[in-house]
Amino acid sequence: MDTLICKDNLPSSSTSTTTTSDRTLVSSNGSSDSFEGPEKLLEIWFEPSPNYIIKDNSSNSSTNIGLRSIERAIWDDMLNIVKCKIISVIENDHVDAYLLSESSMFVYQHKIILKTCGTTTLLAAIPRLLKIASEYCQFHKVWRVFYSRKSFMFPERQSHPHNNWKDEVAYLDQLFDNGSAYTVGRINGDHWFLYMTSPQDDIISENDSSQLRHRAASSSTDCSLDVNMGDQCATNDLDDQTVEVLMTELSPKMMKKFYCENMNNDSGTEGGARVYRETGLKNLYPSAKLDSFLFKPCGYSANGLLEDSYFTIHVTPELNCSYASFETNIPLAHGTISEIIHQLIAIFEPGKFIVTVFKTQGYNVDKKHLVNSLSNVTGYVRKDRILYDFDGYDLVFGQFEKRNK
């Protein structure tokens, strides 16, 4: 069995911004091979909301007191376990968005979202991540955990604990209590895996009400005036939603746009900005703060921030393993999910794609509307439409294949 090695000339922990990168995969015998585009997605919540973070009144420090207070070098060390590196970072008042050599990381005060592709060992970094949260933020317990991924293209190339879904679930069960695992979709076709834990509400009850709750920048109510308003202030922050569109068998013609036009000066952030403009990706969220990167000789990644929400896009354009993913927690309005899907399929022209909408029950767009939104996509046949009712969450899953493929 060949062992794949991703050879990226990426910045070390001492590098502060960006650098160019060669995205070349080689096997142990030196021959070129394929890239595993489908990502592993981990989300760990240490508190239900930024409003639940306790401020240490014994300290005169006015700096961040949540996960955003952690220095980049600490994240570099943790990401070494995952086997990826930081390329660049953008931020706003709510979140830090890290563009990685293999996908993305988003750090809020109270939660972290880590998404990695290839043969990265994401789950192996959880013990280190929990230790960091405990040592630097006094987060000694976890409120909720979510882990998901699409079925791999090349599962035999993954390393422990990602050899198979059973091993991943066993690994997570060793770390967390009250976990549940699900397989969504056709086992003999593209499908999606989900692991989630029940909320650990004892975290909330352990908060010392004599201390002042930290007021999150996203809250419109001044929670710092009255500790008894904590639950009221956090209500909106408990609302949660993640949308993913996972596309395969992409159009060769469209994929040419995700290759470097000039190997000497078209990669990196300049090449990323060109791709963002020329492909029409900029039309998804024109006002978002963007960080994008074009790899050598091909491959594209982008993070975008819009107030307290994010979106991220990753593209593997090689014909034998073409894949593109879109993910966002930007709130959906009525009709938005259909608009997003049609914009994406116009850009990538996938042969197949999966849509997942995972949201807290009662949040924003109702379940019936989401189901209807995934009924028909022009030019595609719906192969699956599945609705799950979880502990506090709804999942709507849709799978589509190009008509007359």
Side-chain angles (χ1 to χ4, degrees):
M1 182 74 65
D2 289 340
T3 302
L4 295 181
I5 305 170
C6 186
K7 303 182 70 174
D8 290 302
N9 298 324
L10 294 168
S12 65
S13 59
S14 61
T15 305
S16 59
T17 54
T18 64
T19 185
T20 58
S21 171
D22 292 336
R23 184 182 177 278
T24 304
L25 281 175
V26 296
S27 60
S28 59
N29 62 12
S31 62
S32 62
D33 217 322
S34 304
F35 187 78
E36 182 70 71
E39 301 97 345
K40 312 166 183 84
L41 176 59
L42 174 70
E43 191 165 331
I44 299 182
W45 294 52
F46 293 94
E47 297 282 358
S49 143
N51 294 313
Y52 281 101
I53 298 177
I54 300 287
K55 181 177 180 180
D56 184 1
N57 291 326
S58 65
S59 172
N60 294 324
S61 174
S62 60
T63 58
N64 289 331
I65 55 175
L67 295 172
R68 297 183 70 194
S69 66
I70 296 171
E71 297 180 357
R72 173 169 166 169
I74 305 300
W75 294 131
D76 284 327
D77 178 65
M78 184 269 291
L79 291 170
N80 283 336
I81 301 172
V82 181
K83 299 178 183 177
C84 64
K85 295 183 181 296
I86 296 171
I87 296 177
S88 57
V89 59
I90 57 173
E91 62 183 38
N92 61 19
D93 292 338
H94 310 280
V95 57
D96 302 325
Y98 293 83
L99 204 61
L100 307 179
S101 57
E102 280 81 12
S103 301
S104 300
M105 179 172 74
F106 299 92
V107 180
Y108 290 82
Q109 292 286 45
H110 65 300
K111 66 179 180 180
I112 183 169
I113 300 158
L114 182 54
K115 181 173 191 169
T116 65
C117 58
T119 55
T120 50
T121 50
L122 186 154
L123 295 183
I126 292 178
R128 176 58 180 150
L129 176 55
L130 298 179
K131 185 176 181 181
I132 289 171
S134 177
E135 289 184 355
Y136 292 90
C137 306
Q138 288 71 57
F139 291 153
H140 304 303
K141 290 187 176 182
V142 169
W143 187 60
R144 295 204 78 162
V145 176
F146 305 92
Y147 174 68
S148 64
R149 65 171 175 84
K150 178 188 173 296
S151 49
F152 291 131
M153 294 181 178
F154 314 105
E156 72 280 0
R157 298 172 180 173
Q158 297 294 322
S159 300
H160 180 76
H162 299 286
N163 305 98
N164 55 60
W165 181 239
K166 182 179 179 181
D167 287 351
E168 289 174 307
V169 172
Y171 188 86
L172 288 163
D173 279 342
Q174 291 177 350
L175 296 171
F176 305 108
D177 296 326
N178 303 315
S180 300
Y182 305 87
T183 300
V184 184
R186 303 183 183 191
I187 297 298
N188 60 344
D190 283 341
H191 47 279
W192 190 73
F193 299 103
L194 171 67
Y195 180 95
M196 59 187 296
T197 63
S198 300
Q200 303 300 298
D201 290 331
D202 60 332
I203 290 178
I204 301 173
S205 63
E206 287 179 359
N207 282 352
D208 183 354
S209 60
S210 66
Q211 299 188 67
L212 195 61
R213 292 187 188 276
H214 175 67
R215 181 191 176 210
S218 61
S219 175
S220 60
T221 306
D222 192 351
C223 302
S224 64
L225 296 179
D226 185 354
V227 296
N228 296 318
M229 293 178 64
D231 290 346
Q232 175 184 336
C233 292
T235 299
N236 291 336
D237 294 302
L238 290 174
D239 289 336
D240 181 37
Q241 165 210 281
T242 302
V243 176
E244 287 188 280
V245 183
L246 312 176
M247 298 163 279
T248 55
E249 300 179 10
L250 311 178
S251 163
K253 177 183 177 182
M254 306 304 285
M255 288 304 94
K256 290 179 181 179
K257 300 177 181 180
F258 296 92
Y259 280 75
C260 292
E261 292 181 344
N262 185 316
M263 292 293 287
N264 293 324
N265 56 23
D266 189 49
S267 65
T269 55
E270 291 186 7
R274 175 188 63 77
V275 169
Y276 192 65
R277 292 190 310 270
E278 294 181 359
T279 59
L281 288 170
K282 68 176 183 179
N283 298 323
L284 288 168
Y285 301 103
S287 60
K289 184 176 184 179
L290 181 76
D291 184 16
S292 60
F293 197 91
L294 180 64
F295 294 86
K296 289 182 181 179
C298 64
Y300 174 81
S301 290
N303 287 339
L305 297 180
L306 192 62
E307 298 182 354
D308 61 349
S309 301
Y310 69 87
F311 72 89
T312 185
I313 300 166
H314 302 282
V315 183
T316 298
E318 293 94 327
L319 296 184
N320 64 329
C321 56
S322 62
Y323 172 82
S325 68
F326 167 85
E327 177 194 340
T328 188
N329 67 348
I330 296 173
L332 291 174
H334 284 282
T336 302
I337 185 66
S338 296
E339 293 174 5
I340 290 172
I341 292 171
H342 282 92
Q343 283 180 288
L344 290 170
I345 64 176
I347 294 169
F348 296 103
E349 297 182 2
K352 299 188 294 185
F353 68 92
I354 286 173
V355 181
T356 65
V357 182
F358 190 63
K359 70 177 191 68
T360 46
Q361 292 170 349
Y363 173 54
N364 205 2
V365 181
D366 63 48
K367 185 165 45 180
K368 182 178 178 180
H369 175 78
L370 287 175
V371 171
N372 291 335
S373 296
L374 297 184
S375 294
N376 296 294
V377 176
T378 304
Y380 288 82
V381 177
R382 190 186 73 239
K383 294 295 186 179
D384 272 319
R385 185 178 60 186
I386 301 171
L387 174 65
Y388 268 86
D389 185 351
F390 294 113
D391 181 13
Y393 276 83
D394 291 327
L395 168 67
V396 182
F397 170 94
Q399 183 178 4
F400 298 83
E401 187 172 301
K402 185 171 286 188
R403 193 180 300 276
N404 301 321
K405 181 181 171 184

CSV table of all heavy atoms in Angstrom, one decimal, residues 3 11 27 82 138 203 256:
chain,number,residue,atom,x,y,z
A,3,THR,N,2.0,5.0,0.7
A,3,THR,CA,1.6,6.0,1.7
A,3,THR,C,1.7,7.4,1.1
A,3,THR,O,2.7,7.7,0.5
A,3,THR,CB,2.7,5.9,2.9
A,3,THR,OG1,2.6,4.6,3.4
A,3,THR,CG2,2.3,7.0,3.9
A,11,PRO,N,4.3,28.0,5.8
A,11,PRO,CA,5.0,28.7,6.8
A,11,PRO,C,5.2,27.9,8.1
A,11,PRO,O,4.3,27.1,8.5
A,11,PRO,CB,4.1,29.9,7.1
A,11,PRO,CG,2.8,29.5,6.6
A,11,PRO,CD,3.0,28.5,5.5
A,27,SER,N,3.2,9.4,-3.9
A,27,SER,CA,3.2,8.1,-3.2
A,27,SER,C,4.6,7.7,-2.8
A,27,SER,O,5.5,8.3,-3.2
A,27,SER,CB,2.5,7.0,-4.0
A,27,SER,OG,3.2,6.8,-5.2
A,82,VAL,N,-2.5,17.1,13.7
A,82,VAL,CA,-3.4,16.9,12.6
A,82,VAL,C,-2.7,16.7,11.3
A,82,VAL,O,-3.2,16.1,10.4
A,82,VAL,CB,-4.4,18.1,12.5
A,82,VAL,CG1,-5.4,17.9,11.4
A,82,VAL,CG2,-5.1,18.4,13.8
A,138,GLN,N,-9.5,27.7,31.1
A,138,GLN,CA,-10.2,27.1,32.2
A,138,GLN,C,-11.5,26.5,31.8
A,138,GLN,O,-12.5,26.4,32.5
A,138,GLN,CB,-10.5,28.1,33.3
A,138,GLN,CG,-9.3,28.5,34.1
A,138,GLN,CD,-8.3,29.4,33.3
A,138,GLN,OE1,-8.7,30.4,32.8
A,138,GLN,NE2,-7.1,29.0,33.1
A,203,ILE,N,-22.6,22.1,33.0
A,203,ILE,CA,-21.6,23.2,32.7
A,203,ILE,C,-22.3,24.5,33.1
A,203,ILE,O,-21.7,25.4,33.7
A,203,ILE,CB,-21.1,23.2,31.3
A,203,ILE,CG1,-20.2,22.0,31.0
A,203,ILE,CG2,-20.4,24.5,30.9
A,203,ILE,CD1,-19.7,21.9,29.6
A,256,LYS,N,-10.6,24.0,-14.9
A,256,LYS,CA,-9.5,24.7,-15.4
A,256,LYS,C,-9.2,26.0,-14.7
A,256,LYS,O,-8.1,26.5,-14.6
A,256,LYS,CB,-9.6,24.9,-16.9
A,256,LYS,CG,-9.5,23.6,-17.7
A,256,LYS,CD,-9.7,23.9,-19.2
A,256,LYS,CE,-9.6,22.6,-20.1
A,256,LYS,NZ,-9.8,22.9,-21.5
